[in-house]
Amino acid sequence: MQRVFARDVLECPCCCGRMRVIAAIERPEIVAAILGSLGLASRAPPAASARPAELFCDPDFELADGAEDLT
């Protein structure tokens, strides 16, 4: 996990001691129950729609030589 998060995730943030994994919960219904009891969402939020192109297009932008306009 250290390679993914670029920090030692098993180091206690309070005392800098070593923590250890005591369980891996894999059943979705159990995970949902635990998160629900903590008041946390058990599902990801719905995906937002993309922004309209005019919100991030610059009308004064000029393409470099050799580039083709995709609009």
Side-chain angles (χ1 to χ4, degrees):
M1 286 194 265
Q2 187 170 1
R3 288 184 295 184
V4 174
F5 297 108
R7 61 182 291 262
D8 188 0
V9 295
L10 295 177
E11 180 180 286
C12 176
C14 297
C15 70
C16 297
R18 297 297 298 160
M19 298 188 292
R20 60 188 172 114
V21 177
I22 58 171
I25 303 167
E26 298 176 352
R27 292 181 39 203
E29 62 274 7
I30 302 297
V31 173
I34 292 171
L35 291 173
S37 70
L38 295 172
L40 301 172
S42 61
R43 296 180 56 116
S49 59
R51 296 181 298 179
E54 61 268 5
L55 290 180
F56 55 87
C57 288
D58 183 0
D60 298 324
F61 180 77
E62 293 182 18
L63 294 172
D65 290 336
E68 55 182 271
D69 188 359
L70 300 176
T71 58

